[in-house]
Amino acid sequence: MADEDRTRADPGAGDAPPKHRSGAGTFGQTRAVLRRVARARRRRRWAVEGAAVLACLVVLVAYLGSRSDPEPGDGQGVAPAM
């Protein structure tokens, strides 16, 4: 069998790209571009976390404002007659 026939028969041989991606999406980009992308991701993460905190505060305020029963000791209850 000739060498070229063996390489055709073996699917892993030849000019196939590697199966692992060590730097997927970063090949050929400069450090400045990678830093800019990282900063954009960081800003996006801060924005999402800030929106989540704001939503939690709104829910907490709505919960505290919707309580209709007065707590004991607020002075709004009628004093017992003696």
Side-chain angles (χ1 to χ4, degrees):
M1 182 188 255
D3 286 334
E4 60 187 84
D5 292 335
R6 254 185 266 140
T7 57
R8 282 190 209 140
D10 186 15
D15 295 331
K19 295 187 189 242
H20 67 281
R21 300 272 187 223
S22 60
T26 61
F27 181 72
Q29 294 181 355
T30 62
R31 288 184 186 181
V33 172
L34 293 175
R35 274 189 293 238
R36 193 176 314 129
V37 169
R39 279 194 303 265
R41 285 182 185 156
R42 198 175 309 130
R43 282 192 303 266
R44 210 171 310 134
R45 191 177 310 130
W46 273 95
V48 169
E49 289 175 357
V53 166
L54 184 62
C56 287
L57 286 174
V58 167
V59 168
L60 178 66
V61 168
Y63 170 73
L64 292 176
S66 69
R67 292 182 12 183
S68 60
D69 295 332
E71 291 186 17
D74 279 350
Q76 295 178 0
V78 178
M82 286 199 212

